[in-house]
Amino acid sequence: MSSTSSIPVFIAPPSITKQLKVALDTAGWRDKNRLIARYNQLITSASEERGRPPGCDLSTHMAMALLPTLPFSRPASSQLLSLWDHCQQLDTSTLPRTLQDPALQKSIYLTWLNSSLFTTPRHLLVQTPYEKLKDNLTKFLTPYLKAWPPGDQISIDSLSVLLASIPQKWEHYSDFTLLPPSAFLAEPWPQVLKHLVQVDHTQPQKHSSALLIMEQLEKLVQDALGSSHIARKAIIPVQDILRRPKIRPLTGDWGIHNRFKSWIEHDQVGLLDHHTVQDQQQVEALTHAADAEPTTENFASAYWAMTCQNQVWYSWAPMFTMFSAGNITEKERVAHSRPIFDARDKIVVDLYAGIGYFTLVYLLHAGARTVHACEWNPWSVEGLARGADRNGIRWSKVSSLEDASASGQESPTISKHAQKTPKKSTKPTPPLGNLVIYPGDNAQWISCFENQAHHINLGLIPSAELGWVLGVRALCPKEGGYLHVHHNIRVGEEESFKAYLLQSLKLQFAEWKAGQDWELHIRHMENIKSFAPLVFHYVADVECRPKT
């Protein structure tokens, strides 16, 4: 065995293996890139067997690889010596305190073994997505940077700058990854990407099956991040109450939105333009615009992402709706809400349902009997319906109030064709509650669930204040219940907000529940997440009970 491929190894009885490992790790002596192994499983030659001291049984001893920089010299003899023998030539004060015990030294043997005999820990064998992305880009960019046209500022020396600016964090959902807004936009990335696009356009392909340069780039990024669809996100306008994102598709098939795919930001390929909707009137105008209402064909042709949180599946179209991963703590609180506000067999109204962040949790985990879910973004309505299907929830969608009033019905007409049957399962599961979806402005549907609900979720930020009156109207006058009021609150203004909330709700109760007195108490204020510097997203659990 060549000494150049050998490393020092401690051989110790199993009774002291843990103690020895702790001592070596504390001193920084153990090679953590090699797993501890049973010594007799590493022996590969008879010469190593002959090196054993007479009468010494090492069949159960463990072998620990040490760093090669330690102050031990490999003896010329093949005889296996104890640590105590080696220490006769050393200043023992340099050893870790645990190893300074002569009795312990005599029970440990020191030898040299080939480093390849040891197994590398699994987590070191698998690259992280960031490491893989960096490695893939290095291999991809190197030949192009070396062949870069002379006289330009770009060269192989630019590789380190390019790699330093690649994203290290992103949002990952099944086959969809959302990169930060600055991803691949820092200089000199735009210049490099423009050059690669030009090469694609000017150089003919040698084979019809060969990938273009930019197609190769897409494939290696997809491979590193483990996603077919990758996009770069932009900031959601705070003024847009429909909460529609602006993203730049980079890889994958986006169906009718493939025209927005581009690695380079320029005027010829803009972002999908969502006209900002700031108030209720604009929502109604948008809803009735002939070119604004998506068709069934639009839904079928768009890309839909999917993810699972807390055993709840969510579906959304990233070009038109967002997924709020930061709400997970509130979803968990609702799912385990029995000790706080028991929603079992209760009627729930979700006035701003989105793709079902809380709607689906109330049905799947909190045990709600019925959830009335209102949502004005048609793409979110479709996502909510798809999520209900994926979770095996039976749902129906309201079509119109005109038909209901014409027939003298008190409830709206339901789209019978939209009712879904839960997917069959081999596991026995408790029956789930019903979901009723109300598309469009929530105010137009208040008569459908007024005076019925035990829980009203008001999950619109930065403020759901326009919906507080609807929450009061929806509340069951006989039993009362909870208003779960979401609001963005600046640091230091928590108490003033609570006072304002209670005062506002008392006025609404006086107007809409005038036949009885009510007691209102804020039972809990949950800090969900940071929204902006010194501004936090809170939810207030307001218990509302009629006085007896």
Side-chain angles (χ1 to χ4, degrees):
M1 185 187 302
S2 169
S3 61
T4 57
S5 62
S6 298
I7 56 173
V9 176
F10 275 165
I11 304 170
S15 59
I16 65 168
T17 298
K18 185 175 181 179
Q19 177 190 6
L20 181 59
K21 175 181 177 296
V22 172
L24 295 176
D25 286 349
T26 302
W29 279 28
R30 189 172 70 89
D31 186 350
K32 296 182 180 180
N33 292 332
R34 309 186 195 284
L35 292 176
I36 299 172
R38 196 176 292 277
Y39 174 65
N40 66 352
Q41 293 178 350
L42 300 180
I43 299 303
T44 58
S45 69
S47 61
E48 289 165 336
E49 291 285 348
R50 288 195 298 269
R52 290 185 185 181
C56 179
D57 182 11
L58 302 180
S59 60
T60 62
H61 280 48
M62 306 301 292
M64 293 187 194
L66 306 177
L67 296 175
T69 56
L70 298 183
F72 297 115
S73 299
R74 185 175 184 178
S77 170
S78 62
Q79 181 69 35
L80 187 63
L81 301 176
S82 70
L83 176 60
W84 184 85
D85 293 323
H86 284 275
C87 287
Q88 304 309 303
Q89 311 288 329
L90 294 176
D91 178 6
T92 57
S93 64
T94 62
L95 299 177
R97 182 176 298 274
T98 302
L99 296 182
Q100 294 178 16
D101 180 4
L104 190 68
Q105 292 175 4
K106 292 178 181 180
S107 66
I108 300 172
Y109 292 91
L110 175 61
T111 189
W112 275 256
L113 296 176
N114 193 307
S115 59
S116 63
L117 297 176
F118 289 86
T119 303
T120 303
R122 185 184 298 272
H123 73 277
L124 295 178
L125 292 174
V126 180
Q127 285 182 308
T128 65
Y130 168 71
E131 291 170 340
K132 193 169 185 178
L133 177 63
K134 193 173 182 179
D135 188 49
N136 286 359
L137 288 173
T138 299
K139 295 175 182 176
F140 171 77
L141 291 171
T142 297
Y144 296 107
L145 294 177
K146 286 182 176 179
W148 200 269
D152 207 331
Q153 294 181 346
I154 304 298
S155 67
I156 189 62
D157 295 333
S158 305
L159 180 61
S160 59
V161 180
L162 291 165
L163 296 178
S165 66
I166 63 174
Q168 298 187 36
K169 295 181 179 179
W170 45 79
E171 298 175 27
H172 179 74
Y173 311 100
S174 299
D175 65 343
F176 173 53
T177 294
L178 197 54
L179 300 177
S182 61
F184 300 103
L185 290 180
E187 293 293 345
W189 272 109
Q191 188 176 351
V192 171
L193 293 171
K194 286 179 183 177
H195 174 72
L196 296 180
V197 171
Q198 290 173 355
V199 173
D200 266 342
H201 290 165
T202 57
Q203 291 187 357
Q205 289 179 271
K206 296 181 180 179
H207 306 284
S208 59
S209 60
L211 293 176
L212 295 171
I213 296 174
M214 291 305 294
E215 289 175 337
Q216 296 175 40
L217 175 63
E218 288 188 23
K219 189 173 179 61
L220 69 88
V221 174
Q222 289 173 320
D223 177 60
L225 302 187
S227 293
S228 59
H229 292 72
I230 300 170
R232 180 170 51 228
K233 68 179 177 180
I235 298 174
I236 298 174
V238 176
Q239 298 83 3
D240 187 5
I241 58 177
L242 294 189
R243 304 293 291 159
R244 293 167 303 175
K246 286 190 176 183
I247 66 173
R248 168 68 70 196
L250 300 178
T251 74
D253 184 2
W254 293 76
I256 57 175
H257 302 113
N258 275 334
R259 65 187 184 276
F260 297 106
K261 283 179 61 177
S262 177
W263 283 81
I264 307 167
E265 297 297 335
H266 51 75
D267 296 336
Q268 284 74 28
V269 185
L271 294 170
L272 178 60
D273 186 21
H274 302 301
H275 296 288
T276 300
V277 178
Q278 301 187 40
D279 54 39
Q280 208 98 333
Q281 288 72 28
Q282 290 187 16
V283 170
E284 294 172 4
L286 179 72
T287 302
H288 292 92
D291 60 347
E293 188 69 23
T295 64
T296 303
E297 290 74 20
N298 293 151
F299 290 144
S301 301
Y303 166 66
W304 291 86
M306 186 166 284
T307 193
C308 186
Q309 275 191 346
N310 292 339
Q311 298 179 314
V312 179
W313 285 96
Y314 299 93
S315 180
W316 74 104
M319 295 293 289
F320 292 91
T321 53
M322 58 174 286
F323 182 80
S324 181
N327 287 340
I328 187 170
T329 55
E330 180 62 9
K331 295 172 195 170
E332 291 175 342
R333 199 174 73 96
V334 171
H336 304 94
S337 59
R338 293 182 185 179
I340 313 167
F341 47 86
D342 195 346
R344 285 176 296 176
D345 202 34
K346 296 295 194 298
I347 305 297
V348 177
V349 171
D350 193 346
L351 288 171
Y352 307 95
I355 62 172
Y357 299 116
F358 304 112
T359 292
L360 300 176
V361 176
Y362 271 109
L363 288 165
L364 287 169
H365 293 317
R369 184 198 322 163
T370 301
V371 176
H372 299 278
C374 303
E375 176 52 42
W376 45 28
N377 185 337
W379 289 89
S380 295
V381 170
E382 177 68 12
L384 174 57
R386 289 174 180 242
D389 282 342
R390 182 64 177 81
N391 289 290
I393 296 172
R394 187 175 181 84
W395 62 273
S396 55
K397 185 166 66 175
V398 173
S399 59
S400 69
L401 281 175
E402 287 80 2
D403 295 340
S405 59
S407 60
Q409 299 176 9
E410 294 184 356
S411 60
T413 300
I414 302 296
S415 301
K416 297 294 184 181
H417 66 277
Q419 292 181 343
K420 304 293 181 180
T421 303
K423 294 181 179 180
K424 293 182 179 180
S425 173
T426 56
K427 296 181 180 180
T429 56
L432 299 175
N434 297 313
L435 169 62
V436 184
I437 303 174
Y438 301 84
D441 181 9
N442 52 19
Q444 69 178 317
W445 304 117
I446 183 62
S447 62
C448 304
F449 42 76
E450 190 165 13
N451 296 322
Q452 295 182 30
H454 306 97
H455 292 271
I456 296 91
N457 195 65
L458 294 130
L460 181 66
I461 55 172
S463 174
E465 187 168 358
L466 290 177
W468 294 359
V469 59
L470 301 179
V472 171
R473 292 178 63 181
L475 202 62
C476 174
K478 183 178 179 180
E479 303 173 48
Y482 280 86
L483 300 180
H484 305 285
V485 182
H486 293 244
H487 201 87
N488 284 353
I489 306 175
R490 184 168 292 277
V491 172
E493 298 179 359
E494 295 86 355
E495 295 303 317
S496 61
F497 169 75
K498 289 195 287 186
Y500 174 74
L501 173 60
L502 288 176
Q503 182 60 33
S504 300
L505 291 178
K506 286 176 182 178
L507 295 176
Q508 299 291 354
F509 272 94
E511 180 177 356
W512 293 98
K513 308 288 190 196
Q516 58 193 138
D517 294 329
W518 287 77
E519 293 182 344
L520 308 181
H521 300 282
I522 297 179
R523 295 302 185 190
H524 181 67
M525 284 277 289
E526 182 75 12
N527 186 336
I528 297 179
K529 63 177 183 288
S530 173
F531 184 83
L534 300 179
V535 178
F536 288 87
H537 174 183
Y538 279 89
V539 58
D541 297 327
V542 186
E543 186 176 11
C544 313
R545 302 294 181 189
K547 289 184 178 179
T548 55

